[in-house]
Amino acid sequence: MQTVLDYLQAQQGRFVRELCDYVRFPSVSAQPQHQPDMVACAEWLAARARAAGLETEVAATPGPPIVLARTPRRPGKRPHFLVYGHYDVQPPEPLELWTSPPFEPRLADGALYARGSADNKGQHLAHLNAVEAWLKTGSELPCDLTFLIEGEEEVGCVHLAPFLRARAKELRCDAIVISDTGIPSKKHPALTYALRGIAALEVKVHGPSRDLHSGLFGGSVDNPAMVLCQLLARLRDARGRITIPGWYDKVRKLTAYERKEMARLPYKEAAYRKFIGVPQLFGEKGFTPMEQRSARPTVEINGLTSGYQGEGSKTIIPAWASAKLTFRLVPDQNPALALRLAQKHLRKLCPPTVRLELIPGHGGEPYLVSPDSADAQAALRALRAAFGHEPVLLREGGSIPIVNDFKAILGANTLLLGLSLPDDNPHSPNEKFDLDCFAKGMRMSALLWPELVAARSIKE
Ligand code: BES
Ligand code: MN
């Protein structure tokens, strides 16, 4: 084992240079003009995995390709684990808020600044480097590994579930490992045992057949933008508690143990508020900010459009208004049911002076697994050894919908072992990835595989 860890340390400089090469690809899945960059990025990753000693395949899908990389299979039966990650990144806009261009990696303060550095290229590259260390030092990896790195995570994993179904036999595995979540600090390595789910809904309010003069018609014709605002305002109360009838019926209560664990996490209100840049925090009564942002449902307006947005003023009643909403869901809420309740509520509230159009979007179930399983305990041992600190158990507010498909299609639970710090700015300008987290993540990954294998042989 020591030779594996020594190898990682000796190669750290090259690993950082390679991560720089990786983040240079503007692999923005949401923007069609970047399609060739997606393919080039996938090819780079496959070549990198081949150089690490893995057998690779760049599998075509109707969208960007999926990169598969397998450790060379040896005769005999070994546990099989899947490492999932995504090589696509969020759009970098607004560009003017970046200190340096998003696809020109910059090393500063022990971190690498670039779009995709933390979310998710650096995190899955850490696993790939760890496996390279096992293979190149002639150490015998006690399991079979398959990397599945896709290019559509940031747009909802459109083609992944059918791919999993088509390849279920070869992808069946004992557990899935994903590093695409966060840790509270380097002193608090974490196993994330719950994620929020998501349900998207676009709300459109149609009024007059064209924009109207607000002086000539205003007063006799309803204003779709105003109606939309009134509808949206009735989705939650002044502290963010959702006011849709039946919404909380399926919401699981936090246990006393969970609340105690959350209270142990490092959190300073003033620093949190300053980092976010708001005059005051907000949130549902009776819950701490940590609880509010991970274990409670929310509704957010992600985009709001209507009327005249240009310079100066234009006195109109706009013909339509639209809002893009997402709800974050917690166990045991279900996206389809949540959307039904929301739509029923909006239809009931909408006045007859306008026409309401509701367009349900993507959804993902919330996720929760027991942190007591043998696999989870094995992961905690690897985290403890790699970071030199006692790991914490986290519930996180973000969503990784595919983990439920992994369970349903491949029959395996997912271990969420994130490496991203709270100030890494994923989806924001100036995204970064801490190089110490990168190094510790590689050590964690190297140590994880024998721990997972040992945990299974005890169980059997
Ligand atoms: N890695 C994140 C999700 C995440 C981050 C979970 C931190 C927990 C902690 C992922 O890349 C992401 O952003 N997912 C989207 C999913 C959506 C597009 C369906 C999200 O949560 O908004
Ligand atoms: Mn993301």
Side-chain angles (χ1 to χ4, degrees), residues 86 90 119 153-154 180 426-427:
H86 62 94
Q90 283 275 321
D119 185 8
E153 196 275 347
E154 302 292 4
D180 195 18
H427 298 206

Side-chain angles (χ1 to χ4, degrees), residues 253-336:
K253 281 204 173 69
L254 278 155
T255 64
Y257 173 75
E258 286 182 299
R259 301 193 84 163
K260 209 174 95 210
E261 280 294 298
M262 281 202 204
R264 279 184 32 203
L265 299 175
Y267 168 74
K268 293 206 177 66
E269 175 170 337
Y272 184 61
R273 184 165 41 76
K274 194 162 162 240
F275 173 65
I276 295 169
V278 290
Q280 198 185 313
L281 291 178
F282 163 92
E284 194 185 356
K285 201 171 142 211
F287 297 92
T288 67
M290 287 296 187
E291 294 167 350
Q292 289 163 346
R293 71 192 190 102
S294 64
R296 299 296 295 167
T298 57
V299 53
E300 303 293 351
I301 301 173
N302 305 130
L304 191 56
T305 320
S306 183
Y308 181 66
Q309 310 283 334
E311 258 181 76
S313 81
K314 185 180 181 198
T315 47
I316 54 161
I317 296 171
W320 57 270
S322 129
K324 287 181 190 272
L325 308 180
T326 48
F327 298 89
R328 293 283 167 171
L329 310 174
V330 301
D332 298 302
Q333 287 184 292
N334 164 279

Side-chain angles (χ1 to χ4, degrees), residues 328-373:
R328 293 283 167 171
L329 310 174
V330 301
D332 298 302
Q333 287 184 292
N334 164 279
L337 178 61
L339 282 181
R340 274 205 301 279
L341 292 175
Q343 294 185 82
K344 193 171 158 201
H345 182 59
L346 289 166
R347 285 219 175 85
K348 204 167 141 211
L349 293 177
C350 187
T353 50
V354 293
R355 183 171 63 83
L356 183 64
E357 185 187 3
L358 298 172
I359 309 162
H362 61 91
E365 310 249 346
Y367 189 67
L368 191 133
V369 279
S370 166
D372 295 327
S373 71

Side-chain angles (χ1 to χ4, degrees), residues 41 91 171 187 327 337 409:
C41 188
L171 295 176
K187 290 189 181 147
F327 298 89
L337 178 61
I409 302 168

